[in-house]
Protein backbone atom coordinates (compact mmCIF):
# COMPACT_ATOMS: atom_id res chain seq x y z
CA UNK A 1 0.00 0.00 0.00
CA UNK A 2 1.11 3.55 -0.66
CA UNK A 3 1.40 5.95 2.27
CA UNK A 4 2.94 9.34 2.78
CA UNK A 5 4.63 10.13 6.04
CA UNK A 6 4.38 13.20 8.20
CA UNK A 7 6.86 14.41 10.76
CA UNK A 8 6.78 17.15 13.36
CA UNK A 9 9.92 18.30 15.13
CA UNK A 10 10.83 21.04 17.57
CA UNK A 11 14.42 22.03 18.26
CA UNK A 12 16.07 24.69 20.41
CA UNK A 13 19.47 26.24 19.77
CA UNK A 14 20.57 25.78 23.38
CA UNK A 15 19.43 23.84 26.41
CA UNK A 16 20.67 26.28 29.09
CA UNK A 17 20.24 30.06 29.32
CA UNK A 18 20.68 32.80 31.90
CA UNK A 19 17.57 34.62 33.18
CA UNK A 20 16.33 37.00 30.48
CA UNK A 21 18.53 35.54 27.75
CA UNK A 22 16.80 34.76 24.47
CA UNK A 23 16.89 31.51 22.54
CA UNK A 24 15.33 30.19 19.34
CA UNK A 25 12.69 27.47 19.07
CA UNK A 26 12.40 25.98 15.57
CA UNK A 27 9.14 24.20 14.64
CA UNK A 28 9.21 21.98 11.54
CA UNK A 29 6.34 20.04 9.96
CA UNK A 30 6.51 17.87 6.83
CA UNK A 31 3.28 16.60 5.33
CA UNK A 32 1.85 15.42 2.01
CA UNK A 33 1.43 18.22 -0.50
CA UNK A 34 -2.32 17.73 -0.88
CA UNK A 35 -3.02 17.65 2.85
CA UNK A 36 -4.81 20.49 4.58
CA UNK A 37 -2.60 21.22 7.62
CA UNK A 38 -3.31 23.42 10.65
CA UNK A 39 -0.35 25.08 12.37
CA UNK A 40 -0.49 25.02 16.19
CA UNK A 41 -1.21 28.26 18.01
CA UNK A 42 1.73 29.18 20.22
CA UNK A 43 0.49 31.34 23.13
CA UNK A 44 2.38 34.46 24.26
CA UNK A 45 3.36 32.72 27.50
CA UNK A 46 3.62 29.03 28.32
CA UNK A 47 5.58 26.97 30.85
CA UNK A 48 7.10 30.14 32.37
CA UNK A 49 8.41 31.07 28.89
CA UNK A 50 7.57 34.29 27.07
CA UNK A 51 7.43 34.71 23.31
CA UNK A 52 9.60 37.63 22.23
CA UNK A 53 9.17 37.35 18.47
CA UNK A 54 7.44 35.07 15.97
CA UNK A 55 8.90 34.71 12.50
CA UNK A 56 6.53 34.00 9.61
CA UNK A 57 5.84 30.40 8.66
CA UNK A 58 8.16 29.39 5.83
CA UNK A 59 6.97 26.84 3.25
CA UNK A 60 9.21 24.74 1.05
CA UNK A 61 7.57 22.65 -1.67
CA UNK A 62 9.32 19.56 -2.98
CA UNK A 63 9.93 19.67 -6.74
CA UNK A 64 7.41 16.90 -7.41
CA UNK A 65 4.84 18.64 -5.22
CA UNK A 66 4.18 15.50 -3.21
CA UNK A 67 5.50 16.92 0.08
CA UNK A 68 5.48 20.29 1.84
CA UNK A 69 7.96 21.27 4.52
CA UNK A 70 6.94 24.14 6.76
CA UNK A 71 8.99 25.78 9.47
CA UNK A 72 8.73 28.66 11.92
CA UNK A 73 11.28 30.24 14.24
CA UNK A 74 10.11 31.61 17.57
CA UNK A 75 12.34 33.64 19.90
CA UNK A 76 11.67 32.83 23.58
CA UNK A 77 12.94 33.99 26.95
CA UNK A 78 12.29 33.21 30.61
CA UNK A 79 12.61 35.27 33.77
CA UNK A 80 12.18 32.40 36.22
CA UNK A 81 15.11 30.15 37.08
CA UNK A 82 14.92 26.37 37.11
CA UNK A 83 14.12 23.54 34.73
CA UNK A 84 11.30 24.28 32.29
CA UNK A 85 9.55 21.92 29.91
CA UNK A 86 8.54 23.22 26.51
CA UNK A 87 5.38 21.22 25.84
CA UNK A 88 4.78 19.23 22.66
CA UNK A 89 3.12 21.12 19.82
CA UNK A 90 0.35 19.28 17.96
CA UNK A 91 -0.02 19.70 14.20
CA UNK A 92 -3.33 18.54 12.72
CA UNK A 93 -3.99 17.73 9.10
CA UNK A 94 -6.61 16.21 6.86
CA UNK A 95 -5.71 14.27 3.72
CA UNK A 96 -7.45 15.12 0.47
CA UNK A 97 -10.57 12.99 0.02
CA UNK A 98 -10.44 11.74 3.63
CA UNK A 99 -12.75 12.88 6.42
CA UNK A 100 -10.45 11.72 9.23
CA UNK A 101 -8.42 14.27 11.15
CA UNK A 102 -4.82 13.19 11.78
CA UNK A 103 -2.23 14.70 14.07
CA UNK A 104 1.51 14.74 14.57
CA UNK A 105 3.20 16.15 17.64
CA UNK A 106 6.68 17.21 18.63
CA UNK A 107 8.62 15.85 21.57
CA UNK A 108 8.70 17.94 24.77
CA UNK A 109 11.95 19.83 25.31
CA UNK A 110 13.76 20.65 28.56
CA UNK A 111 15.57 23.93 29.10
CA UNK A 112 17.53 25.09 32.12
CA UNK A 113 17.29 28.73 33.17
CA UNK A 114 20.20 29.74 35.38
CA UNK A 115 20.43 32.71 37.70
CA UNK A 116 23.20 35.28 37.51
CA UNK A 117 26.20 34.04 39.49
CA UNK A 118 26.87 36.08 42.64
CA UNK A 119 30.30 36.32 44.25
CA UNK A 120 29.56 35.83 47.96
CA UNK A 121 33.23 36.27 48.96
CA UNK A 122 33.09 40.01 48.23
CA UNK A 123 31.37 42.58 50.41
CA UNK A 124 27.97 43.96 49.50
CA UNK A 125 28.29 47.42 48.00
CA UNK A 126 25.91 50.30 48.56
CA UNK A 127 23.91 51.85 45.75
CA UNK A 128 25.85 54.58 44.00
CA UNK A 129 24.67 58.15 44.49
CA UNK A 130 23.52 60.54 41.80
CA UNK A 131 26.13 61.72 39.35
CA UNK A 132 26.22 65.46 38.67
CA UNK A 133 26.63 66.34 35.02
CA UNK A 134 28.53 69.57 34.26
CA UNK A 135 26.51 72.42 32.73
CA UNK A 136 27.20 73.12 29.07
CA UNK A 137 26.03 76.11 27.01
CA UNK A 138 25.46 73.74 24.12
CA UNK A 139 22.73 72.06 26.18
CA UNK A 140 21.03 75.44 26.81
CA UNK A 141 21.21 76.76 23.20
CA UNK A 142 17.91 75.23 22.00
CA UNK A 143 16.08 76.85 24.93
CA UNK A 144 17.76 80.22 24.33
CA UNK A 145 16.83 80.12 20.62
CA UNK A 146 13.27 79.08 21.48
CA UNK A 147 12.92 81.97 23.94
CA UNK A 148 14.35 84.45 21.39
CA UNK A 149 11.89 83.30 18.74
CA UNK A 150 8.97 83.57 21.20
CA UNK A 151 9.99 87.15 22.18
CA UNK A 152 10.39 88.08 18.49
CA UNK A 153 6.92 86.67 17.66
CA UNK A 154 5.37 88.53 20.60
CA UNK A 155 7.02 91.80 19.47
CA UNK A 156 5.82 91.32 15.88
CA UNK A 157 2.26 90.60 17.03
CA UNK A 158 2.34 93.68 19.31
CA UNK A 159 3.57 95.90 16.43
CA UNK A 160 0.99 94.45 14.05
CA UNK A 161 -1.83 95.21 16.50
CA UNK A 162 -0.46 98.73 17.20
CA UNK A 163 -0.12 99.53 13.46
CA UNK A 164 -3.61 98.20 12.84
CA UNK A 165 -5.10 100.46 15.54
CA UNK A 166 -3.17 103.43 14.14
CA UNK A 167 -4.65 102.91 10.69
Amino acid sequence: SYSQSTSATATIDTNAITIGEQFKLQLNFSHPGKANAVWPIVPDTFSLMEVVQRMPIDTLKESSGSELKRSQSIILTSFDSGFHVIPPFVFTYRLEGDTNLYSASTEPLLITVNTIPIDTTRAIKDIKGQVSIPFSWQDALPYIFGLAIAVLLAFLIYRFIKMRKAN
Side-chain angles (χ1 to χ4, degrees):
S1 71
Y2 176 75
S3 68
Q4 292 178 327
S5 64
T6 60
S7 68
T9 58
T11 57
I12 50 179
D13 59 356
T14 184
N15 60 358
I17 63 168
T18 306
I19 285 181
E21 189 178 350
Q22 297 178 0
F23 66 98
K24 182 169 69 170
L25 169 69
Q26 183 75 34
L27 296 176
N28 298 309
F29 183 50
S30 298
H31 62 85
K34 294 187 178 186
N36 185 10
V38 177
W39 199 262
I41 296 172
V42 180
D44 289 340
T45 58
F46 61 91
S47 301
L48 301 174
M49 299 282 168
E50 294 181 22
V51 174
V52 176
Q53 183 179 11
R54 288 180 179 86
M55 306 300 175
I57 298 170
D58 201 16
T59 304
L60 179 65
K61 191 173 188 177
E62 193 178 279
S63 61
S64 64
S66 64
E67 185 178 26
L68 286 178
K69 294 181 181 182
R70 296 182 180 186
S71 64
Q72 182 182 26
S73 296
I74 301 170
I75 307 296
L76 300 171
T77 188
S78 180
F79 296 99
D80 193 13
S81 64
F83 297 102
H84 304 298
V85 176
I86 298 174
F89 295 97
V90 179
F91 297 85
T92 57
Y93 62 98
R94 182 169 286 151
L95 298 173
E96 187 178 77
D98 192 356
T99 58
N100 294 330
L101 189 64
Y102 300 99
S103 66
S105 65
T106 64
E107 295 291 325
L109 300 169
L110 182 66
I111 187 156
T112 306
V113 180
N114 299 313
T115 59
I116 298 171
I118 299 172
D119 187 5
T120 57
T121 60
R122 299 177 72 180
I124 296 174
K125 295 183 179 179
D126 197 13
I127 297 174
K128 290 185 177 183
Q130 292 182 353
V131 178
S132 61
I133 299 174
F135 178 73
S136 169
W137 287 104
Q138 294 166 343
D139 296 335
L141 279 178
Y143 299 107
I144 294 170
F145 284 131
L147 182 62
I149 289 173
V151 169
L152 179 66
L153 282 174
F155 174 73
L156 290 175
I157 291 171
Y158 171 75
R159 259 188 84 137
F160 176 75
I161 293 172
K162 189 175 178 184
M163 294 284 280
R164 194 170 174 181
K165 283 185 180 180
N167 289 339

